[in-house]
Amino acid sequence: MTQDVEMKEQHQPSNSTTSSPSTLHHLKEIASLIETGAYAKETRRIQRAVRLTNTLRRKLKASVLYAFLNFALSAGSESFNRLISYLPKEDEYEMEVDTATSVTQAPAKHPLPELEIYCYLLVLIFLIDQKKHIEAKACSSASIARLKNLNRRTVDVLASRLYSYYSLSYELTGDLAEIRGSLLALHRIATLRHDELGQETLLNLLLRNYLHYNLYDQAEKLRSKAPRFEAHSNQQFCRYLFYLGKIRTIQLEYTDAKESLLQAARKAPAAALAFRVQCNKWAVIVRLLLGEIPERTVFMQKGMESALRPYFELTNAVRIGDLELFKSVAEKFSSTFSKDRTHNLIVRLRHNVIRTGLRNISISYSRISLADVAKKLRLDSANPVADAESIVAKAIRDGAIDATLDRANGWMVSKETGDIYSTNEPQMAFNSRIAFCLNMHNEAVRALRFPPNSHKEKESAEKRRERQQQEQELAKHIAEEDDDEF
């Protein structure tokens, strides 16, 4: 009876603490899930715990974290004291209530390494969400130092998430270059330990680190020499494709860049809107550099209209072939293009605008003087006629237009357009579409998952129901996954 009275007295305080027990209860369930996964050596349970944590991150408070740390770690341990020092001091009454509720649970004297790393992850997520970047840097560095001493496959899932937040905390403070050596050392350790998920995550973080400082050559050298294997995380694979597309674009390999960027945008989760916007921005620029005009539906995707508006106007200028309109759009949205780091690519588009305008002129006129060509293209150079002559000659040599150049009379003579279906262009178009469909089918087949040892033993009806229930829960959590990873 005395215990019941005490419990009632603890639940009577104001409404400010009513949400804490619920969140704390969920955290304790996640901790038990991690313990079960660690003892059974099942990484899927650890992955599920991480997904459940994403749904709770907006409810995390300092008092809740204090109570959970008191439950999961020994009160006088080094990890407990270090993590408590990063938490801000809140209202004393709330802290007393949470500690009182946590006293009922006896803390583990020898906590599992997985649970200890999970505590580091929780505190680090809380500090980043609260914009306490200095404390987040210190916490992430301490967590990485602890991770280096652990070589357990059940820690790999938590470690990969810690690597991401470790890089993010330094990026938010502008000190991303400081951890490049540490990331390289961690990638080497992950390779020696056969931690493929860690290798995948650290490779993307290193590519992001290099691209942040425009070190594209170093990024390509690392990417080409790093070991490749089957992707373990769809999010990490999407990031890899995006970084690969950016590298290929800078290296003028536009066809490969287009394929990588479109694949990254297609594979990205629906919740990762900002990531898909960035993929579409770069894909639009690459397609324009290839001489293609993206469809209007690309710019009208849900939630992307305002973000892609500058690129829509840029595409319209390239499609028309109006050099003046292209210059005005580039100046109007110069700040946006600089922020997206696509300004240098847009400078390359000037040649495409001139070529598009020249193609329109060759279709409209059977014969036109070079002076009129320069006037219609609005060339503002010292000798526009000579520039028009060189532009026309280069376009004829590259096969952009079907015409001849009469230098004696200063004319450009267009040839009659024949039947396009008598050429190989329809065959090439159909071949590219068929190849795209076959590649998508092969990727879908490779992405299929099968239960282990399904060909050796027949499962009972009860096991089959349990497996189907787990698969449904897994699909539900994946569908509800937030875009915090992007």
Side-chain angles (χ1 to χ4, degrees):
M1 294 295 294
T2 56
Q3 292 180 354
D4 294 338
V5 172
E6 289 178 359
M7 293 299 293
K8 290 181 181 178
E9 290 178 357
Q10 288 180 1
H11 285 286
Q12 286 177 356
S14 61
N15 295 330
S16 61
T17 61
T18 56
S19 62
S20 297
S22 176
T23 307
L24 182 59
H25 177 70
H26 289 305
L27 289 176
K28 290 178 180 179
E29 288 182 345
I30 294 174
S32 64
L33 186 64
I34 292 176
E35 289 181 354
T36 306
Y39 286 124
K41 297 182 179 180
E42 294 183 1
T43 58
R44 285 193 176 187
R45 295 182 183 270
I46 311 294
Q47 292 173 353
R48 183 183 176 189
V50 173
R51 285 193 296 271
L52 291 173
T53 305
N54 291 333
T55 61
L56 295 176
R57 65 181 300 173
R58 293 183 179 88
K59 301 178 183 178
L60 293 179
K61 296 180 181 179
S63 57
V64 178
L65 289 177
Y66 181 87
F68 179 73
L69 293 177
N70 200 14
F71 160 77
L73 302 175
S74 300
S77 63
E78 181 182 357
S79 300
F80 177 82
N81 295 332
R82 182 184 292 114
L83 291 175
I84 288 297
S85 65
Y86 298 134
L87 296 178
K89 302 299 180 182
E90 288 193 348
D91 187 56
E92 294 181 359
Y93 178 74
E94 289 189 4
M95 297 293 286
E96 289 176 0
V97 171
D98 289 327
T99 52
T101 57
S102 61
V103 167
T104 59
Q105 299 286 342
K109 295 183 179 180
H110 301 286
L112 288 171
E114 289 83 0
L115 203 55
E116 181 183 353
I117 296 302
Y118 179 72
C119 292
Y120 274 106
L121 179 62
L122 268 183
V123 174
L124 184 55
I125 291 174
F126 172 76
L127 293 174
I128 291 176
D129 289 344
Q130 297 296 319
K131 301 187 184 303
K132 298 182 180 298
H133 303 319
I134 304 299
E135 292 84 352
K137 280 179 58 177
C139 181
S140 62
S141 300
S143 65
I144 295 300
R146 180 71 181 93
L147 269 178
K148 290 181 178 179
N149 300 324
L150 299 176
N151 184 13
R152 295 162 66 100
R153 299 287 69 81
T154 49
V155 180
D156 293 345
V157 178
L158 299 171
S160 64
R161 193 59 60 91
L162 269 180
Y163 296 148
S164 301
Y165 288 118
Y166 173 55
S167 178
L168 178 61
S169 61
Y170 275 82
E171 183 177 356
L172 291 173
T173 56
D175 302 326
L176 198 57
E178 296 180 6
I179 62 171
R180 191 177 302 155
S182 177
L183 291 177
L184 288 169
L186 289 171
H187 187 270
R188 182 169 60 250
I189 293 173
T191 304
L192 294 175
R193 293 176 177 177
H194 302 285
D195 178 10
E196 294 185 353
L197 181 58
Q199 294 179 58
E200 196 175 22
T201 304
L202 289 166
L203 177 60
N204 286 333
L205 293 177
L206 284 166
L207 292 178
R208 181 181 182 87
N209 197 309
Y210 284 123
L211 298 184
H212 182 78
Y213 295 99
N214 296 324
L215 302 175
Y216 287 91
D217 291 338
Q218 289 88 328
E220 172 58 20
K221 289 179 181 177
L222 173 67
R223 187 208 63 79
S224 61
K225 295 181 180 179
R228 292 298 302 159
F229 37 78
E230 184 180 356
H232 290 262
S233 171
N234 180 60
Q235 289 83 3
Q236 296 299 334
F237 186 52
C238 290
R239 290 192 185 96
Y240 176 78
L241 290 174
F242 177 61
Y243 298 143
L244 178 61
K246 293 178 72 173
I247 294 172
R248 290 288 182 259
T249 303
I250 299 300
Q251 294 178 337
L252 306 181
E253 299 177 10
Y254 298 134
T255 303
D256 295 339
K258 172 191 167 185
E259 182 180 353
S260 299
L261 292 169
L262 291 179
Q263 190 176 4
R266 189 177 68 251
K267 285 180 172 291
L273 181 62
F275 179 79
R276 290 192 294 118
V277 166
Q278 287 296 322
C279 291
N280 279 281
K281 287 179 178 178
W282 279 76
V284 166
I285 297 295
V286 170
R287 293 183 67 179
L288 291 175
L289 288 169
L290 282 170
E292 303 176 5
I293 302 298
E295 300 81 5
R296 184 180 289 267
T297 55
V298 174
F299 306 97
M300 300 303 168
Q301 299 180 60
K302 185 179 180 181
M304 300 186 188
E305 296 89 347
S306 59
L308 295 179
R309 184 67 189 179
Y311 295 87
F312 174 73
E313 296 190 15
L314 187 71
T315 302
N316 189 41
V318 175
R319 180 181 62 84
I320 297 173
D322 191 341
L323 197 57
E324 290 296 328
L325 180 60
F326 172 78
K327 290 180 180 178
S328 64
V329 171
E331 293 175 359
K332 179 181 178 182
F333 299 104
S334 60
S335 60
T336 303
F337 296 144
S338 299
K339 182 180 179 181
D340 295 337
R341 297 193 173 189
T342 55
H343 188 268
N344 292 335
L345 300 176
I346 290 169
V347 173
R348 300 182 189 177
L349 282 175
R350 183 179 181 274
H351 180 68
N352 293 62
V353 176
I354 295 175
R355 179 169 291 188
T356 303
L358 185 61
R359 189 183 298 115
N360 295 335
I361 292 172
S362 66
I363 294 173
S364 303
Y365 297 92
S366 60
R367 187 179 68 181
I368 186 173
S369 65
L370 295 177
D372 291 336
V373 170
K375 189 182 297 183
K376 288 185 176 295
L377 292 178
R378 299 182 182 181
L379 301 178
D380 52 357
S381 58
N383 192 355
V385 177
D387 289 345
E389 182 179 350
S390 62
I391 291 171
V392 170
K394 189 175 187 302
I396 294 173
R397 185 194 65 184
D398 295 341
I401 59 174
D402 191 7
T404 57
L405 184 60
D406 188 352
R407 287 188 171 85
N409 298 318
W411 292 337
M412 182 186 73
V413 181
S414 302
K415 297 180 181 179
E416 294 185 3
T417 57
D419 184 11
I420 193 173
Y421 290 99
S422 62
T423 64
N424 291 330
E425 289 193 18
Q427 180 184 356
M428 295 170 61
F430 280 118
N431 183 52
S432 63
R433 295 177 185 179
I434 293 171
F436 174 79
C437 294
L438 290 175
N439 288 334
M440 182 178 293
H441 174 266
N442 293 335
E443 291 174 6
V445 170
R446 284 196 294 268
L448 292 175
R449 289 185 179 181
F450 301 94
N453 299 327
S454 60
H455 62 286
K456 295 182 180 179
E457 56 184 14
K458 295 181 179 180
E459 59 182 356
S460 62
E462 183 180 355
K463 289 184 178 180
R464 183 168 60 254
R465 285 195 299 269
E466 183 181 356
R467 177 178 58 81
Q468 291 176 352
Q469 183 179 1
Q470 291 178 356
E471 290 176 354
Q472 290 176 359
E473 292 178 358
L474 180 63
K476 180 180 177 182
H477 288 303
I478 292 176
E480 295 176 353
E481 190 176 29
D482 293 331
D483 60 342
D484 64 304
E485 295 186 1
F486 284 86

